[in-house]
Amino acid sequence: MPFQIKENSNQYDVCIVGSGAGGGMAAYVLTQAGLKVVVLEAGPWYDPAKNVTQLKWPWESLRRGAGTTFRPFGDFDAAYGGWEMEGEPYTRVPGTQFDWFRSRMLGGRTNHWGRISLRFGPKDFKGKSRDGLGEDWPIGYDDVAPYYDKVDDLIGVFGSKEGIPNEPDGKFLPPPKPRLHELIIKEAASKQNIPVIPSRLSILTKKINEDRGACFYCAQCNRGCTVYGDFSSSSCLIKPATKTNNLDVIVNAMVREVLTDESGKATGVSYLAKDDLQEYQIKAKVVVLAASACESARLLLNSKSKTHPNGLANSSNVVGKYLHDSTGAAIGGVLPKLFGRTRYNEDGVGGMHVYTPWWLDNKKLNFPRGYHIEYWGGMGMPGYGFGFGIQGLNGRFPDRNGTQKSGGGYGAALKDDYRYYWGANVGMAGRGEAIALESNYCEIDPNGTVDKFGIPVLRFNYKWSDHEVQQAKHMQETFQEMMHNMGAVITWGIAGPENNYGLEAPGRIIHEVGTTRMGNDPKRSVVNKFNQAHDCKNLFVVDGGPFVSQADKNPTWTILALSWRASDYIIEQFKQQNL
Amino acid sequence: MKRRDSLKAIALTAISSGVLLQSCDANRKETAATPVKTSGIDRHPSELVRDQKLLAEKFFDDHEMNTIKVLIDIIIPKDETSGSATDAGVHDFIEFIVKDMPRHQLPMRGGLKWLDVQCLKRHNKTFIDSSSEQQLALVDEIAYPDKAKPEMKQGVTFFNLLRDLTATGFFTSQMGLKDLGYAGNTPNRWNGVPQDVLDQYGLYYDERTLKESVQWDTSE
């Protein structure tokens, strides 16, 4: 067959690249308004009600739930993807580190994410005004708050009204009661004046409409929910959008570049269909990128033309820069008082029932910005890794009969030790705000590397600064004290300056944002305050790319709110015939 | 996210032990296992291809597998609550997991060989041909890392790995999960920690928590 590019004859109002939080929300809002929309997704169709791993038992996985390259978070995890994908490499500048997690499937990374749904607070939009670092957003909390409210109503989130100034309350469903270890954590934290409040997760503790069921407490949100009791873009946004008959979804479509005309306006995109390996073009009046912060930056940089010689929307030379991920460090151990505990179903929702919002004043600290703390522990379903390293436990604590054995062993006594120590584990992790730096960036690999589709790949250059290292040090000290206060014994995670106090490599927390940042100055930003490219008025970016700063929150709720806001703007601009 | 950290928590190191003799190699036969239906969980096509490939391969030879079966039943024997490791099919899990995680292959193969060499030196017999007393005497020397002699280090490293894989294989089996008393993975309404457990630890839900948390009409 001769090589030729096939044009899709459909005329769309909007072409959206990516079906995760940002793309899903844009598809939902734009189709509701009657616009004809096509969504291009690089991975396969996915429906948590049909692609089921929920309520399966560990022995139903050949590897008992262990992770693979394909599913790094375990064999039951919903996300098809990972930090390494066959045939889709990326490179790094020597001496720097960034691990890029991609999820190629309908709904993207919303399928496995922890459903932690935090609003940014007023301070989070004005970092530079606070401490002189980074940049302020061109918008503030009051601009986004109405959209957070709409997202709460549409998708559902549980939580509690706390009145914490920079942790704005939402329109919450009731939270679940804390588990046993969470009560112990809360009691210990109060000795350090650390708040522990109900978590804020997009899981339905109450039914909110006829399309979605209520949570039935299996703790498996990361596997995808067969009754749509939690949020994923596939079940909560794309699926209802298809019911409008205004949406076409093309899966297994790897977008190569954004097409532009002589005047520099976007005219559509070209993509490779993975199913027949043919090249296609699709035309649309507006192009919305929601491929993930780095993938959208890659698309822009790969979309060079006479009018946009430096890549599309990149006259500022800012595309790819200011890449930043959340900081992360963790500690874990055991609570000896829980050895030999009574059995009961402790699954609860998929994730923690309590968390700690940032609680300190940076004026008294040697690092800027804050972190929140996530907790875990208890009698979760055993999987691969169960019982590993028992020699470190049963040589350290007396067994059920009060006998102090030498660590390790075998036989009936060992068998009983596994039962005795089960459910006593506890741990915590910090998720903090990194400073967005121009020197942390992704770019098209200058050595000419391409992926298996022939698309030029990204090269990353990322180094933590001392701000993040000092923050991780503070996490270490805080966690160690908290573990001590609750009577826990730390068994892993203690780290010092030699390994940055346990600070995870950039990219490992999968909150990367900032590569197409928004701003009022076209010379210093890529999109305006409505996520619209300064250089190309019918091009929008609605993933994490436009974030000026990441806060210590998880980005999803803000991506959803900003995508809705940008979509309202697109609808308005269509009405005014500006697009 | 907690899974990320628990993965880190279970990271294990395995030191490959020196393989000294070739005496058992003659027993090693490459026979293809019968293709088994993979799991009933959602799989991407590329995962199915890989799983089928792994299932069609055979890693351990019969002698190695017979040795594994003896060892894992020493680690987890039958007791009044549940059966042994082989009763729960742990040997099949170990065969699969070393193919899935090639980093376990050399430590397992080399460790088994190390064990046989120890037995050959002591009794001129392989491990499985040794008497139960002889087997347990050797296991005693490698099962307790803090007490083991330095020259047993390779055996300790091997036994730590085998103990980990045995425990994971057993307690993630249907038999092991029942033994453990895991009570979840079923639709339910989480209504907090049972009162007797709260009392045991001197904990309680404060009034605000009781008032604001999700609750159900008990008559429902």
Side-chain angles (χ1 to χ4, degrees), chain A residues 121-166:
Chain A
K123 284 178 169 181
D124 295 326
F125 292 96
K126 305 294 170 190
K128 188 175 187 179
S129 298
R130 238 196 314 161
D131 54 28
L133 298 166
E135 192 58 76
D136 286 349
W137 291 60
I139 53 176
Y141 178 71
D142 291 341
D143 296 304
V144 189
Y147 288 95
Y148 281 135
D149 285 349
K150 284 149 83 101
V151 173
D152 289 355
D153 283 337
L154 178 69
I155 290 170
V157 53
F158 70 71
S160 60
K161 302 253 185 209
E162 302 288 339
I164 303 169
N166 201 45

Side-chain angles (χ1 to χ4, degrees), chain A residues 60 63-64 71 75 77 80 161 175 177-178 217 220 343 347 374 386 389 409-411 415 419 431 508, chain B residues 1 4 39 42-43 47 51 77 79 82-83 100 140 143 168-169 172 179-180 185 188 190 205 208 214:
Chain A
E60 294 182 75
R63 51 190 65 77
R64 306 293 168 90
R71 301 189 199 240
D75 214 24
D77 195 72
Y80 306 152
K161 302 253 185 209
K177 287 176 191 159
Y217 303 93
Q220 295 168 21
R343 277 23 174 180
D347 283 348
E374 304 177 5
F386 178 95
Y410 61 90
K415 191 177 180 182
R419 301 169 184 136
R431 295 286 178 261
R508 298 310 287 192
Chain B
M1 235 179 275
R4 173 168 20 228
S39 43
D42 176 51
R43 294 293 85 176
E47 289 178 294
D51 284 353
D79 65 2
S82 64
D100 192 43
D140 274 327
T168 271
T172 57
D179 177 322
L180 200 62
N185 197 34
N188 73 103
W190 166 257
Y205 291 114
R208 185 182 165 204
V214 63

Side-chain angles (χ1 to χ4, degrees), chain B residues 46-85:
Chain B
S46 56
E47 289 178 294
L48 283 175
V49 168
R50 179 165 180 269
D51 284 353
Q52 290 290 357
K53 178 176 166 288
L54 294 179
L55 285 168
E57 292 169 358
K58 181 174 172 178
F59 180 74
F60 292 115
D61 67 26
D62 293 347
H63 174 74
E64 289 170 328
M65 185 44 74
N66 288 332
T67 309
I68 287 171
K69 285 180 181 171
V70 171
L71 283 165
I72 63 177
D73 277 356
I74 289 172
I75 293 170
I76 294 195
K78 183 177 190 301
D79 65 2
E80 59 276 12
T81 309
S82 64
S84 71

Side-chain angles (χ1 to χ4, degrees), chain A residues 343-345 379 419 422, chain B residues 175-184:
Chain A
R343 277 23 174 180
Y344 55 91
N345 183 347
M379 297 186 285
R419 301 169 184 136
W422 180 58
Chain B
M175 180 189 291
L177 226 64
K178 186 163 177 258
D179 177 322
L180 200 62
Y182 171 68

Side-chain angles (χ1 to χ4, degrees), chain A residues 44 51-53 55-60 62-64 66 68 70-73 75-77 80 112 114 160-162 174-180 183-184 186-187 205-206 216-217 220 222 330 337-338 341-347 353 374 376 379-391 406-412 414-415 418-419 422 429 431 492 504 508-510, chain B residues 1-5 7-10 38-44 46-47 50-51 55 74-79 81-83 93 96-97 100-101 104 136 139-140 143-147 159-160 163-165 167-174 177 179-194 197-198 200-201 203-206 208-210 212-216:
Chain A
N51 302 89
V52 180
T53 59
L55 294 183
K56 301 292 183 182
W57 296 96
W59 58 85
E60 294 182 75
L62 292 164
R63 51 190 65 77
R64 306 293 168 90
T68 60
F70 207 77
R71 301 189 199 240
F73 291 120
D75 214 24
F76 295 108
D77 195 72
Y80 306 152
H112 91 136
S160 60
K161 302 253 185 209
E162 302 288 339
K177 287 176 191 159
R179 303 177 179 95
L180 183 59
L183 287 171
I184 293 169
K186 191 174 175 178
E187 191 179 50
T205 51
K206 296 280 182 192
F216 53 76
Y217 303 93
Q220 295 168 21
N222 70 303
K337 69 179 112 174
L338 295 187
R341 60 186 295 193
T342 303
R343 277 23 174 180
Y344 55 91
N345 183 347
E346 198 184 36
D347 283 348
H353 292 188
E374 304 177 5
W376 64 88
M379 297 186 285
M381 183 157 42
Y384 180 84
F386 178 95
F388 277 23
I390 187 87
Q391 64 273 17
S406 187
Y410 61 90
L414 172 75
K415 191 177 180 182
Y418 290 113
R419 301 169 184 136
W422 180 58
R431 295 286 178 261
W492 63 270
E504 298 266 9
R508 298 310 287 192
I509 310 304
I510 322 181
Chain B
M1 235 179 275
K2 68 178 182 181
R3 279 160 293 127
R4 173 168 20 228
D5 301 307
L7 287 174
K8 195 169 69 180
I10 61 177
T38 53
S39 43
I41 54 178
D42 176 51
R43 294 293 85 176
H44 189 276
S46 56
E47 289 178 294
R50 179 165 180 269
D51 284 353
L55 285 168
I74 289 172
I75 293 170
I76 294 195
K78 183 177 190 301
D79 65 2
T81 309
S82 64
F93 163 71
F96 180 81
I97 207 71
D100 192 43
M101 302 179 178
H104 293 325
L136 290 183
V139 168
D140 274 327
Y144 301 95
D146 293 340
K147 291 198 303 191
F159 201 77
N160 282 344
R163 184 170 43 226
D164 283 350
L165 294 178
T168 271
F170 184 80
F171 286 104
T172 57
S173 71
Q174 195 161 8
L177 226 64
D179 177 322
L180 200 62
Y182 171 68
N185 197 34
T186 184
N188 73 103
R189 288 170 170 176
W190 166 257
N191 200 15
V193 180
V197 176
L198 288 174
Q200 181 187 347
Y201 296 98
L203 294 165
Y204 61 93
Y205 291 114
D206 59 37
R208 185 182 165 204
T209 301
L210 289 172
E212 294 185 1
S213 296
V214 63
Q215 46 200 304
W216 295 271

Side-chain angles (χ1 to χ4, degrees), chain A residues 51-293:
Chain A
N51 302 89
V52 180
T53 59
Q54 192 183 32
L55 294 183
K56 301 292 183 182
W57 296 96
W59 58 85
E60 294 182 75
S61 153
L62 292 164
R63 51 190 65 77
R64 306 293 168 90
T68 60
T69 312
F70 207 77
R71 301 189 199 240
F73 291 120
D75 214 24
F76 295 108
D77 195 72
Y80 306 152
W83 284 284
E84 305 297 333
M85 300 183 80
E86 195 207 345
E88 299 192 52
Y90 52 92
T91 64
R92 305 175 182 93
V93 172
T96 72
Q97 199 173 13
F98 187 83
D99 297 335
W100 187 21
F101 191 102
R102 290 156 289 174
S103 181
R104 299 256 195 260
M105 64 195 298
L106 194 73
R109 295 179 286 188
T110 64
N111 290 304
H112 91 136
W113 136 82
R115 273 73 183 181
I116 301 172
S117 304
L118 304 173
R119 295 180 177 209
F120 280 26
K123 284 178 169 181
D124 295 326
F125 292 96
K126 305 294 170 190
K128 188 175 187 179
S129 298
R130 238 196 314 161
D131 54 28
L133 298 166
E135 192 58 76
D136 286 349
W137 291 60
I139 53 176
Y141 178 71
D142 291 341
D143 296 304
V144 189
Y147 288 95
Y148 281 135
D149 285 349
K150 284 149 83 101
V151 173
D152 289 355
D153 283 337
L154 178 69
I155 290 170
V157 53
F158 70 71
S160 60
K161 302 253 185 209
E162 302 288 339
I164 303 169
N166 201 45
E167 203 79 5
D169 296 328
K171 303 174 86 174
F172 294 132
L173 301 168
K177 287 176 191 159
R179 303 177 179 95
L180 183 59
H181 66 273
E182 292 168 333
L183 287 171
I184 293 169
I185 288 165
K186 191 174 175 178
E187 191 179 50
S190 68
K191 293 179 196 164
Q192 287 165 258
N193 292 316
I194 295 176
V196 173
I197 64 172
S199 56
R200 297 173 173 184
L201 310 184
S202 46
I203 298 170
L204 302 184
T205 51
K206 296 280 182 192
K207 201 168 154 70
I208 60 168
N209 62 40
E210 288 312 307
D211 297 327
R212 299 171 58 198
C215 177
F216 53 76
Y217 303 93
C218 73
Q220 295 168 21
C221 291
N222 70 303
R223 299 187 183 193
C225 186
T226 50
V227 303
Y228 307 151
D230 58 8
F231 170 67
S232 83
S233 178
S234 49
S235 56
C236 301
L237 297 173
I238 297 289
K239 196 179 167 88
T242 58
K243 290 182 182 167
T244 63
N245 292 322
N246 290 325
L247 178 66
D248 288 339
V249 180
I250 303 176
V251 295
N252 293 322
M254 186 71 192
V255 176
R256 188 177 296 284
E257 63 182 302
V258 179
L259 304 169
T260 50
D261 63 16
E262 297 274 313
S263 73
K265 275 186 75 176
T267 57
V269 302
S270 72
Y271 67 94
L272 175 125
K274 289 178 176 173
D275 296 331
D276 63 9
L277 297 180
Q278 297 293 304
E279 297 290 325
Y280 292 84
Q281 288 188 352
I282 214 156
K283 300 286 183 194
K285 293 172 191 158
V286 168
V287 172
V288 175
L289 299 185
S292 82

Side-chain angles (χ1 to χ4, degrees), chain A residues 424-437:
Chain A
N425 67 306
V426 66
M428 57 192 68
R431 295 286 178 261
E433 178 173 358
I435 301 297
L437 300 173

